[in-house]
Amino acid sequence: MTTATYTLQDFVKEAQQIADRGDSVERQIAQIAGPLERIIQRQDCLLDLPENDEADPDKGFVIHRADNLTVMAVVWQPDSGAPVHNHNGWAMEGVISGVEFNRNYQRVDDGLTPWYAELEELEPTRVPTGATTVISEPPADIHAVEIREGKTLAIHVYGLDLLRQWRYRFNLETNEVEPFAMRTRREL
């Protein structure tokens, strides 16, 4: 008996079908969790993409993009990360290799002063090889990423078109909030 390999294309198709049903966020996350856990067990899963010839590339890229779902290959180099930011929606991270460390925050101000936010740090999340985590919907989507244990390769799934979002960076020292938009390599 031969078992077919679960491919990255299978994962994207399944995740998009789930997103298209329009179920609650909680239900979408619950339904995508198993397939994400399954695909990240294959450390060579990025080779499923015809335009990618490296299982462990040096730069990340968009795998799939739709109005209600973005799937990205995220490559974090050693001692790198992302400053405190948000996504404007839910996200899931599945680590193929390495470790992502997320510092999570919540707003403690009333949100009435433009371009200002007071944040309080919550319990961090360590996501090792083969594990997944969820970043909740706003306002619980504020976090920073730190890569402390070497190069990390992950698949990130977002419940929106992440590249069409004006998102925010949060300065912990000054409490300033700065808008930014992400661009693909083709748009740079």
Side-chain angles (χ1 to χ4, degrees), residues 134-178:
V134 173
I135 297 172
S136 299
E137 284 191 291
D141 65 333
I142 302 171
H143 65 289
V145 180
E146 295 176 1
I147 304 303
R148 303 174 174 178
E149 301 178 37
K151 182 179 175 181
T152 298
L153 178 61
I155 293 177
H156 287 195
V157 181
Y158 305 91
L160 45 69
D161 183 347
L162 187 68
L163 283 74
R164 287 188 180 213
Q165 299 297 309
W166 276 101
R167 297 162 53 205
Y168 303 99
R169 285 188 191 98
F170 299 84
N171 185 315
L172 297 176
E173 293 178 15
T174 65
N175 297 329
E176 290 178 297
V177 178
E178 174 189 8

Side-chain angles (χ1 to χ4, degrees), residues 35-64:
L36 180 59
E37 289 170 3
R38 184 175 178 192
I39 196 62
I40 64 169
Q41 300 311 310
R42 288 192 43 233
Q43 292 196 344
D44 67 344
C45 67
L46 295 179
L47 290 175
D48 296 342
L49 302 172
E51 63 275 6
N52 186 45
D53 59 359
E54 292 186 57
D56 187 10
D58 287 329
K59 292 184 180 178
F61 53 89
V62 175
I63 295 169
H64 174 77

Side-chain angles (χ1 to χ4, degrees), residues 110-128:
D110 60 15
L112 297 176
T113 305
W115 310 114
Y116 176 89
E118 293 176 24
L119 303 180
E120 174 181 86
E121 190 164 359
L122 304 171
E123 189 71 26
T125 308
R126 184 179 180 274
V127 191

